[in-house]
Amino acid sequence: RKEVEQDPGPFNVPEGATVAFNCTYSNSASQSFFWYRQDCRKEPKLLMSVYSSGNEDGRFTAQLNRASQYISLLIRDSKLSDSATYLCVASRNRDDKIIFGKGTRLHILP
Amino acid sequence: SAVISQKPSRDICQRGTSLTIQCQVDSQVTMMFWYRQQPGQSLTLIATANQGSEATYESGFVIDKFPISRPNLTFSTLTVSNMSPEDSSIYLCSVDLAEVEFFGPGTRLTVL
C-alpha cells in the first residue's frame, strides 16, 4: 500500500462550485500534514498546513481525521485560478522525510 | 519562506554526459533536499544534502550516480552522472524552514 494516496482526478468543476478531495495515509505515526499546490511546469508551493482541529484559510478548509487516517481539502467558490494539481503531504516528525502523494488534478471550468 | 534559485532552469543533454545543478538559498538553512519528479509522477526524494558531511541517499539512489555537494548552509549541487534518457525529469531542491518544505523552481532535464 502506498504511504500517501490520492485520487489523481482530474476533477472538472464549474467555476463557483465547491470541491473537496481526500488523501489517505498509511503510517499512523504521521504527525505533520500539508497541502501543496503545483501549477503546470512549476514547483510545488505550500497551500496550507493541516492542524488536528482543522483550519481554514479564506476559501480553503483543511481537515484531519486521525481515526480514519485521511486529510481533506475543501475549496469553496472555486476560481479559474484554482486549476492546479494539489499534493497531499504527510511526515512522521521533524527529522523524518516527508511523503508526497501523487497529486489530484483540478480543472475549474468557466 | 525562503527564496530559492536553481541553475540551469532547463537543459538538453546527450546520453553518457553529466550535468551539475546548483541550488542557492537566500538564508542559511540546515536541511536541504533534492527531489526528482518524472512526468505525471509525484516527487521522489533523492537525498538529503548535509552540510559538512556526505549526503544521505534514499533507497534506489546512489552517490556514484547522483553526487551531491553542500559546501555551506546556503548552497548545494546535485550532479546527474552518465545520463541516460531515463534520467529525463525535473530535479528540484528544497529547504526545510520551521518544519515546512519550500521548493526551488526546478531544473527540467531532457536526455537524448
Side-chain angles (χ1 to χ4, degrees), chain A residues 6-11 85 102-106:
Chain A
Q6 296 181 247
D7 183 340
F11 285 56
T85 297
K102 287 193 172 183
T104 297
R105 284 186 296 143
L106 174 64

Side-chain angles (χ1 to χ4, degrees), chain A residues 11-69:
Chain A
F11 285 56
N12 297 310
V13 175
E15 189 176 9
T18 295
V19 60
F21 26 84
N22 291 342
C23 160
T24 59
Y25 60 96
S26 61
N27 191 332
S28 59
S30 296
Q31 295 290 331
S32 303
F33 305 91
F34 308 90
W35 283 103
Y36 279 74
R37 171 196 169 125
Q38 186 172 24
D39 293 292
C40 187
R41 295 177 175 265
K42 298 286 189 182
E43 74 276 20
K45 292 186 178 174
L46 179 68
L47 178 65
M48 58 197 304
S49 302
V50 185
Y51 302 123
S52 298
S53 55
N55 48 299
E56 191 174 305
D57 183 2
R59 297 181 294 108
F60 298 84
T61 301
Q63 298 270 346
L64 168 63
N65 185 317
R66 285 195 184 274
S68 301
Q69 294 186 199

Side-chain angles (χ1 to χ4, degrees), chain A residues 32 34 36 38 41 43-44 46 49 87 94 97-98 100-102, chain B residues 35 37 41-43 45 58 92 96 99-101 103-105 108:
Chain A
S32 303
F34 308 90
Y36 279 74
Q38 186 172 24
R41 295 177 175 265
E43 74 276 20
L46 179 68
S49 302
L87 301 168
R94 194 189 192 287
K97 65 180 179 182
I98 69 174
F100 283 84
K102 287 193 172 183
Chain B
Y35 285 83
Q37 187 173 31
Q41 301 295 314
S42 188
L43 296 115
L45 181 64
E58 297 300 309
L92 299 115
D96 181 317
E99 300 184 37
V100 177
E101 275 195 51
F103 289 84
R108 183 176 295 274

